[in-house]
Amino acid sequence: MNAVAPPLLTIARARELVLNAVTPLPTESLPVTEAGDRVLAEELKATGDVPPFPCSAMDGYAVLPGPAERRLTLAGESRAGTPALQPLGEKQAIRISTGAAIPAGATAVIPQEHVSVQDGEGEIVTRAAVREGDNVRGRGEDMRAGTTVLRAGTVLGAAELGAAVAAGAGRLTVAMRPRVRVLSTGDELKAPGEPLGPGEIHNSNGPMLVALAEHQGAACPAAGRLPDDRAATEAGLAAALQNADVVIVSGGVSVGPHDHVKPALETLGVEQVFWRVALQPGKPTWFGRRGNRLVFGLPGNPVSAAVTFGLFVRPALAALQGRGPERMLESEAVLATPIPRNPDRDQAVRVRLERQDGRLIATPNGPQGSHMVTSLLGADALALIGAGEGELAAGATVTLEPLPR
Ligand code: AMP
Ligand code: MG
């Protein structure tokens, strides 16, 4: 299977093949309080008007419109949660708090700063003219009953949860979290913090890929490690495939004598969808499926793993959850420095972005070697440099791709 290397796929084609393989996950109903960061699966409509009743925008007095100087009799109070008992009568004012219901008969609120209280508490004198509707929040001003407040595919951040509750929701139907299993392959890998023996390195991909997957909404236990051994690779992958929607393997997908991932997956009935993308870093990227289970074989170099996660795994996790397209505020930037092109492969360069004279400038974030994990630190995005001869000049416009956290 390793013998003949297939032609390189474009990034766009590879991503399309990934998305074609995705069947959205089932949904579940959760209390709003547990739905944070999940993806809403159904359109959410307001069950009633918000605010549900006309209410005061200020602490003050509910009144009728009138001129500046008025002497009004105090006739009760409307508090938040406890409306006034009687309607507003002729030449009366009702004390009112912010958010309290406007009493029947009243059509405006005069803020307490514009009022002096006379005769103990029995009477007020107004010091400002009042027009109809002043300081009154209309019923349904924020949301109208039956209107769509959140669309399916929305990620439920803090604002969305607040809006959902205001709209009357107690539970939300959300996509199940993709169950992701990360496996790092390599005899050289040591667990984080462990002392290194000769030729060993720390398994930085494991925790990095778990964090990346979790930030995309996945449920992902700590990464497992597989030695460069065919039987162990097969056993580890078989176990991962049992109860994961997505398996992410790092390393072992090249053509070396110790790269066992592809043949092991073949034995396990995982059908190869593609292998090798015209991408630097990330050429050996492998993608396959077994039924609805998706398997990504990412290259072992940490930068390659992070970049290919961003370009291929992130969209798959989003699509599994029915998440709408990511809103990138900027999709293009101008190169600050020339970048030598790769004749055969598009490059995904980690860049910092800065605005200068109204233009968004992309500066490569230090040395770009695929083993240089530090090139990810402080990077704002990936800039795609199309394959070709020579160099892409400073000032050229490049497409940006999000660099997931
Ligand atoms: P491979 O794709 O297995 O040939 O690995 C390519 C390079 O990435 C080698 O230098 C590996 O040592 C390195 N590498 C592989 N897996 C990891 C990992 N989990 N963490 C850090 N480096 C890795
Ligand atoms: Mg390896």
Side-chain angles (χ1 to χ4, degrees):
M1 170 171 183
N2 287 355
V4 184
L8 303 182
L9 250 55
T10 63
I11 297 171
R13 178 65 184 145
R15 187 148 45 186
E16 184 178 71
L17 289 171
V18 168
L19 292 176
N20 286 347
V22 169
T23 304
L25 292 171
T27 61
E28 61 183 327
S29 164
L30 290 181
V32 169
T33 47
E34 290 168 30
D37 295 335
R38 302 290 286 266
V39 180
L40 189 67
E42 291 173 355
E43 181 178 65
L44 183 92
K45 293 184 166 165
T47 58
D49 287 339
V50 179
F53 47 85
C55 59
S56 178
M58 303 288 264
D59 289 324
Y61 296 86
V63 293
L64 283 165
E69 291 283 335
R70 279 193 291 167
R71 190 172 281 271
L72 303 170
T73 310
L74 258 185
E77 184 176 14
S78 178
R79 298 170 52 167
T82 313
L85 295 173
Q86 339 77 325
L88 186 81
E90 191 77 4
K91 294 207 172 347
Q92 286 186 339
I94 291 180
R95 191 170 172 79
I96 194 163
S97 317
T98 305
I102 303 291
T107 56
V109 169
I110 181 163
Q112 63 188 24
E113 302 85 281
H114 298 156
V115 164
S116 45
V117 181
Q118 310 279 303
D119 297 345
E121 285 282 313
E123 220 176 47
I124 63 165
V125 174
T126 66
R127 306 261 173 243
V130 180
R131 285 163 308 163
E132 177 144 338
D134 277 359
N135 301 306
V136 173
R137 298 171 177 164
R139 174 177 175 155
E141 223 174 67
D142 194 9
M143 302 175 192
R144 284 256 168 239
T147 54
T148 300
V149 177
L150 297 172
R151 284 184 224 289
T154 303
V155 178
L156 297 166
E160 289 75 16
L161 292 177
V165 172
R171 301 181 72 86
L172 294 170
T173 304
V174 298
M176 305 273 277
R177 300 179 73 180
R179 297 165 307 160
V180 173
R181 186 82 175 109
V182 172
L183 297 171
S184 311
T185 73
D187 284 340
E188 73 277 31
L189 300 180
K190 272 297 184 56
E194 268 191 37
L196 298 177
E200 292 178 338
I201 60 168
H202 287 119
N203 176 6
S204 46
N205 287 351
M208 181 182 71
L209 289 167
V210 169
L212 284 166
E214 283 182 334
H215 286 169
Q216 298 301 316
C220 188
R225 193 186 74 80
L226 301 176
D228 291 320
D229 164 86
R230 173 63 195 271
T233 300
E234 210 172 293
L237 286 168
L241 278 161
Q242 293 251 305
N243 45 24
D245 303 303
V246 177
V247 177
I248 305 173
V249 197
S250 85
V253 287
S254 293
V255 288
H258 308 295
D259 292 335
H260 300 289
V261 170
K262 292 199 302 295
L265 287 169
E266 187 179 25
T267 306
L268 293 168
V270 181
E271 167 205 346
Q272 174 176 314
V273 176
F274 68 77
W275 174 42
R276 294 180 15 121
V277 180
L279 168 64
Q280 183 189 18
K283 179 164 122 182
T285 304
W286 189 97
F287 173 66
R289 64 187 295 185
R290 190 172 80 184
N292 286 344
R293 310 253 144 122
L294 309 180
V295 181
F296 291 89
L298 305 186
N301 277 306
V303 177
S304 315
V307 165
T308 52
F309 181 98
L311 292 176
F312 307 116
V313 185
R314 182 188 60 87
L317 294 177
L320 281 166
Q321 297 169 83
R323 200 165 79 203
E326 195 162 347
R327 195 165 145 258
M328 268 191 87
L329 293 179
E330 305 284 353
S331 58
E332 283 185 344
V334 170
L335 271 187
T337 53
I339 296 185
R341 294 184 194 260
N342 180 310
D344 310 311
R345 293 186 272 158
D346 293 346
Q347 290 173 78
V349 175
R350 280 74 67 210
V351 294
R352 288 189 311 277
L353 298 174
E354 254 172 348
R355 198 160 280 289
Q356 279 172 23
D357 305 326
R359 296 196 311 171
L360 193 64
I361 308 291
T363 308
N365 194 36
Q368 297 283 320
S370 62
H371 59 300
M372 309 277 284
V373 73
T374 49
S375 74
L376 296 167
L377 301 178
D380 298 309
L382 296 173
L384 296 184
I385 312 294
E389 300 302 327
E391 61 180 29
L392 194 60
T397 299
V398 289
T399 303
L400 299 177
E401 284 276 342
L403 186 61
R405 305 272 138 208

